[in-house]
Amino acid sequence: MKYSKNDIQEKIRKAVNDVRTQNPMAPSITNSVTINLVANAQLAVGGSAAMVYLPDEGEGMAEAAKSLYINAGTMIPVYGETLPRTARRLSKLSRPWVLDPVGIGLGGLRTELLTSMGTFRPGIIRGNASEIIALAGLWNAADVQESNVRGVDSMDSVEDARDAADALALFTGGAVAVSGADDYVTDGVNKVTAHGGSKFFPMITGAGCSLGGVMAIYACVAEPFIAALTAVNIYNIAGQRAEKACEGPGSFQVHFLDELYRSTPDDVAGSLFDMA
Amino acid sequence: MKYSKNDIQEKIRKAVNDVRTQNPMAPSITNSVTINLVANAQLAVGGSAAMVYLPDEGEGMAEAAKSLYINAGTMIPVYGETLPRTARRLSKLSRPWVLDPVGIGLGGLRTELLTSMGTFRPGIIRGNASEIIALAGLWNAADVQESNVRGVDSMDSVEDARDAADALALFTGGAVAVSGADDYVTDGVNKVTAHGGSKFFPMITGAGCSLGGVMAIYACVAEPFIAALTAVNIYNIAGQRAEKACEGPGSFQVHFLDELYRSTPDDVAGSLFDMA
Amino acid sequence: MKYSKNDIQEKIRKAVNDVRTQNPMAPSITNSVTINLVANAQLAVGGSAAMVYLPDEGEGMAEAAKSLYINAGTMIPVYGETLPRTARRLSKLSRPWVLDPVGIGLGGLRTELLTSMGTFRPGIIRGNASEIIALAGLWNAADVQESNVRGVDSMDSVEDARDAADALALFTGGAVAVSGADDYVTDGVNKVTAHGGSKFFPMITGAGCSLGGVMAIYACVAEPFIAALTAVNIYNIAGQRAEKACEGPGSFQVHFLDELYRSTPDDVAGSLFDMA
């Protein structure tokens, strides 16, 4: 269903507010580099965090929570069992879970697991441009060009990834968010470019991972497209404000968490975005 | 032995001071979400940190240090061997080690391991109300009501957990600390309610975990009840001061570590607590 | 080749500048306690970070990057395969990789792996005095006295470790950096003592680990001795400035990351060091 800008802003206000009043828990299976920032960002917007590694704990969390965040960042052997079992349970329960295909293309286990995730239809996929292009290729969701991943960095522009993102959204029936200087959020019908953020986001580790974790928090109270855009908007407005107050990447991260906490529903709904 | 308030305050002053002058090391086997904050809090109060995952390293650390912190937060397969071997060694050496039963009730391995920990008699148990009630039930230490754990959050009040805490203290012969808006610390004979802290503690990840790690630092120089209360008090006073100086959860954590470092023995002994 | 002080300063300026303009990626296999600070420090100086645990991912990263950081901090079972396979590949490709022998002496796997690392000739070895002395002993690189490691803390002085450091540098054909109140950097021919830093470095976890990670970033654009000294100098100048601005270890870490980002090539080249 295609929304008006007013519809979207009203839904964003409600999502921000509902998370603050309901304190929903969105568990994560995520990398060890940025796991602390993921949890702190989830808490700063009003949610609750819980991180697990083991297969039966992933399944238990899929049962207990309304959404869950899976980030492929730092693979360990037990994930070979944990990720498919958790994703299968999430899919069976129709949970709008969030997939972050960090590091796609590196290593045998990661490739095998990310390939298999396509059948479990994540409600939201979040990545940088190169990751989204690569995932669309891996799932044969689109006829895509070669992507250019380098470690965790994107070598493609958000503009380059729009078609892949739209195709992935139609493939999963959910939403896709491409992070970059501007951000693109799509469910295949509603297509939005969001502005703001900060030049310091790429200079701290975990801006993208924690954004994915916050999407899972909003996915506990809102549909995937709204959840993804609400998270993108609160990151854009909080990032802008943190950049003004900071003196470098260290103080940026501190102010950024403060601003996630301080942003009002009107701030987040009013953060700049254009509709296609 | 039942202490007067003056006795307790004198012992707290000594514990704060002894840690600053002796720089004791308390190793940890702890979760990956908050492992950095645990170490930084231990260092801020004047101790030294060292984290391990493997069975022989846990045993080696049990030999090398006067106390050790075990937190059940993020289970990985090797813990099936590491936790029992480390706890057995600690018990054999009569070390006053600290147990934090995070996530109790979730998953088969966690339940099996937390059940077995009862035989190794931790010197201090720290948890939120729901975790303490659940652990007392798991160990049959008390005739307790059903607890209400949700992920890592407590759904019970500290008041509700007093009987379970007293029973656990008598069961282990050590001390138990229940964290919440007010905190309850007991060794079954001395029973104290401590005040202070901050509304931001639940809005950062690891306030509870790092408190457990700091208890292990104080347990290197003081008996379990005093060690637990000293840690609770320095958290309450530093949390109060950090809240006044901060603008949100990001800056709260920064100021909190500063205030742990700046708190004097008199500050910590003078932090508000009532005796039952 | 023996350099003049002017030569060295010119090369440092170039290294600082080249990292800022080229944004080189130096992946890490590192401990979970300080993994976030390692990445954030690498980003703050202008590099890119990527952390892995699995054998084929370590090999893949050895191929993809110009340098790589291996820190023995928190051993997990898969490292038994990951560390030798990654180091062998690095050695085969003649990459100037960085080894940080944290916790040397603790545990069977760590001892076995650190012993085997000698054959793969790291371009840079970084450690505290006790770790450097212990590693020289383990590799029979020098006739060394008994070292005094306690967990992750050094019980020896930097002065005590000079001979071991020189011997290790001759053994590997690379550079060795010993961290302490003053720092010693040697390639066996050029021998430098660097001053500055902060009393707060030992009061935050990961000052040493992140220094090793930053050395790997500079090793992507400069020879090992220059890379090691550039990292030592930027830490010394940023540490000094952060200490002046901070109120304790929490705000020290924040200011420190800001100052890593703000330091100019001239600042880093001008940080105080003496040549032997």
Side-chain angles (χ1 to χ4, degrees):
Chain A
M1 179 184 163
K2 189 142 172 80
Y3 296 124
S4 71
K5 188 159 185 179
N6 271 352
D7 290 343
I8 291 175
Q9 289 181 313
E10 196 44 54
K11 286 171 187 292
I12 288 175
R13 260 183 222 101
K14 185 168 167 18
V16 174
N17 194 62
D18 284 354
V19 161
R20 294 246 166 86
T21 54
Q22 295 172 26
N23 182 231
M25 174 181 66
S28 298
I29 301 171
T30 190
N31 71 75
S32 59
V33 188
T34 66
I35 192 167
N36 184 267
L37 184 60
V38 172
N40 273 324
Q42 292 180 315
L43 269 54
V45 301
S48 174
M51 275 67 177
V52 297
Y53 290 106
L54 300 183
D56 68 335
E57 299 191 352
E59 291 172 334
M61 284 300 187
E63 298 277 351
K66 290 187 178 158
S67 180
L68 191 148
Y69 176 55
I70 294 184
N71 173 304
T74 47
M75 287 283 139
I76 53 173
V78 74
Y79 281 9
E81 199 181 337
T82 303
L83 261 56
R85 280 177 54 182
T86 303
R88 180 171 294 114
R89 187 66 61 93
L90 288 163
S91 176
K92 202 169 180 179
L93 294 162
S94 303
R95 299 279 193 250
W97 64 284
V98 180
L99 175 65
D100 206 328
V102 182
I104 187 168
L106 176 71
L109 178 62
R110 190 189 307 258
T111 300
E112 175 199 325
L113 291 175
L114 284 176
T115 303
S116 75
M117 290 293 127
T119 55
F120 306 121
R121 309 280 149 135
I124 301 175
I125 299 166
R126 192 217 70 82
N128 64 38
S130 296
E131 290 161 355
I132 294 300
I133 294 168
L135 191 67
L138 195 67
W139 291 358
N140 295 309
D143 215 15
V144 293
Q145 75 274 36
E146 187 93 3
S147 82
N148 300 289
V149 186
R150 186 199 66 165
V152 298
D153 301 324
S154 181
M155 300 286 126
D156 299 289
S157 76
V158 172
E159 187 63 40
D160 294 335
R162 283 182 183 229
D163 290 350
D166 289 337
L168 278 174
L170 294 172
F171 179 81
T172 60
V176 176
V178 190
S179 302
D182 289 332
D183 303 290
Y184 180 65
V185 183
T186 176
D187 63 6
V189 177
N190 297 284
K191 302 177 182 188
V192 164
T193 298
H195 309 281
S198 170
K199 67 171 181 182
F200 284 112
F201 275 145
M203 270 182 265
I204 63 167
T205 190
C209 304
S210 63
L211 175 58
V214 167
M215 287 178 182
I217 293 290
Y218 288 120
C220 295
V221 302
E223 62 181 288
F225 173 75
I226 297 297
L229 183 57
T230 303
V232 163
N233 273 13
I234 200 170
Y235 266 57
N236 279 337
I237 192 79
Q240 272 183 313
R241 290 174 177 176
E243 182 175 324
K244 273 183 201 137
C246 84
E247 300 185 324
S251 50
F252 174 77
Q253 182 172 318
V254 173
H255 286 292
F256 175 64
L257 286 169
D258 284 354
E259 295 296 342
L260 283 183
Y261 167 76
R262 288 150 60 108
S263 298
T264 66
D266 282 343
D267 288 339
V268 183
S271 183
L272 203 60
F273 65 92
D274 309 317
M275 303 181 64
Chain B
M1 181 184 161
K2 189 143 172 79
Y3 295 125
S4 71
K5 189 159 184 179
N6 271 352
D7 289 343
I8 292 175
Q9 289 182 313
E10 196 43 54
K11 286 170 188 293
I12 289 175
R13 260 182 222 103
K14 184 169 166 24
V16 173
N17 193 62
D18 283 355
V19 161
R20 294 245 166 87
T21 54
Q22 295 172 27
N23 181 232
M25 173 180 66
S28 298
I29 301 170
T30 190
N31 72 75
S32 59
V33 188
T34 66
I35 192 167
N36 184 267
L37 183 61
V38 172
N40 273 325
Q42 291 180 315
L43 269 55
V45 301
S48 174
M51 275 68 175
V52 297
Y53 291 107
L54 300 182
D56 68 333
E57 298 191 353
E59 290 171 334
M61 283 301 188
E63 297 277 351
K66 289 187 180 158
S67 180
L68 191 147
Y69 176 55
I70 295 183
N71 173 304
T74 48
M75 287 284 137
I76 53 173
V78 74
Y79 280 10
E81 199 180 335
T82 303
L83 260 55
R85 279 177 54 182
T86 303
R88 180 170 294 114
R89 188 65 61 93
L90 289 163
S91 176
K92 201 168 180 179
L93 295 162
S94 303
R95 300 279 194 249
W97 62 285
V98 180
L99 175 65
D100 206 328
V102 182
I104 187 168
L106 176 71
L109 179 61
R110 191 189 306 258
T111 300
E112 175 198 323
L113 291 175
L114 284 177
T115 303
S116 75
M117 290 293 128
T119 54
F120 305 121
R121 309 280 149 134
I124 301 175
I125 299 165
R126 193 217 69 84
N128 63 37
S130 297
E131 290 161 356
I132 294 301
I133 293 168
L135 191 67
L138 195 66
W139 291 357
N140 295 310
D143 214 16
V144 292
Q145 76 274 35
E146 187 93 0
S147 82
N148 301 289
V149 185
R150 186 199 67 166
V152 298
D153 301 324
S154 181
M155 300 287 126
D156 300 289
S157 75
V158 172
E159 186 64 36
D160 294 336
R162 284 182 183 228
D163 289 349
D166 289 337
L168 278 174
L170 293 173
F171 179 81
T172 61
V176 177
V178 190
S179 302
D182 288 332
D183 303 290
Y184 181 65
V185 183
T186 175
D187 62 6
V189 178
N190 296 283
K191 301 177 183 188
V192 164
T193 299
H195 309 280
S198 169
K199 66 171 182 181
F200 284 112
F201 275 144
M203 271 182 265
I204 63 167
T205 190
C209 305
S210 63
L211 174 60
V214 167
M215 286 178 183
I217 294 289
Y218 288 121
C220 295
V221 303
E223 63 181 288
F225 172 76
I226 297 297
L229 184 57
T230 302
V232 163
N233 274 12
I234 200 170
Y235 266 56
N236 280 337
I237 193 79
Q240 273 183 311
R241 290 174 176 175
E243 182 175 323
K244 275 185 200 135
C246 84
E247 300 184 325
S251 50
F252 175 77
Q253 182 171 319
V254 173
H255 285 292
F256 175 65
L257 286 169
D258 284 354
E259 295 296 341
L260 282 183
Y261 168 75
R262 289 150 60 108
S263 298
T264 66
D266 282 343
D267 289 338
V268 183
S271 183
L272 202 62
F273 65 92
D274 309 317
M275 303 182 64
Chain C
M1 180 185 162
K2 188 144 172 75
Y3 296 125
S4 71
K5 189 159 185 178
N6 271 352
D7 290 342
I8 291 175
Q9 290 182 312
E10 196 43 55
K11 286 170 188 292
I12 290 175
R13 260 183 222 103
K14 184 168 167 21
V16 173
N17 194 61
D18 284 355
V19 161
R20 295 245 166 86
T21 53
Q22 296 172 27
N23 181 232
M25 174 180 66
S28 297
I29 301 170
T30 190
N31 72 75
S32 58
V33 188
T34 66
I35 192 168
N36 184 267
L37 184 60
V38 171
N40 273 325
Q42 291 180 316
L43 269 56
V45 301
S48 174
M51 275 66 177
V52 297
Y53 290 107
L54 300 183
D56 68 334
E57 298 191 352
E59 290 172 335
M61 283 300 187
E63 297 277 351
K66 289 188 180 157
S67 180
L68 190 146
Y69 176 56
I70 294 183
N71 173 305
T74 47
M75 286 284 139
I76 53 173
V78 74
Y79 280 11
E81 199 180 334
T82 303
L83 260 56
R85 279 176 55 182
T86 303
R88 180 171 294 114
R89 187 67 60 94
L90 289 163
S91 177
K92 201 168 180 178
L93 295 162
S94 302
R95 300 278 194 251
W97 64 285
V98 180
L99 175 66
D100 207 328
V102 182
I104 187 167
L106 177 70
L109 179 62
R110 190 189 306 257
T111 300
E112 176 198 324
L113 290 175
L114 284 177
T115 303
S116 75
M117 291 293 127
T119 55
F120 305 121
R121 309 278 149 135
I124 300 174
I125 299 165
R126 192 217 69 84
N128 64 37
S130 296
E131 290 162 355
I132 295 300
I133 293 168
L135 191 68
L138 195 66
W139 290 356
N140 296 309
D143 215 16
V144 293
Q145 74 274 35
E146 187 93 1
S147 82
N148 301 289
V149 186
R150 186 200 66 166
V152 298
D153 301 324
S154 180
M155 299 286 125
D156 299 289
S157 75
V158 172
E159 186 64 37
D160 294 335
R162 284 182 182 229
D163 290 349
D166 289 338
L168 278 174
L170 294 172
F171 179 81
T172 61
V176 177
V178 189
S179 302
D182 289 331
D183 303 289
Y184 181 65
V185 183
T186 176
D187 62 6
V189 178
N190 296 283
K191 302 177 184 189
V192 164
T193 299
H195 309 281
S198 170
K199 66 171 181 182
F200 284 111
F201 275 144
M203 271 182 265
I204 64 167
T205 189
C209 305
S210 63
L211 175 59
V214 167
M215 286 178 182
I217 293 290
Y218 288 121
C220 295
V221 303
E223 62 181 288
F225 173 76
I226 297 297
L229 184 56
T230 303
V232 162
N233 273 12
I234 200 170
Y235 265 56
N236 279 337
I237 193 79
Q240 272 183 313
R241 290 174 176 176
E243 181 175 324
K244 274 184 201 136
C246 83
E247 300 184 324
S251 50
F252 174 77
Q253 182 172 319
V254 173
H255 286 292
F256 175 65
L257 285 169
D258 284 355
E259 296 296 342
L260 282 183
Y261 168 76
R262 289 150 60 107
S263 298
T264 66
D266 282 343
D267 288 338
V268 184
S271 183
L272 202 62
F273 65 93
D274 310 316
M275 303 182 64

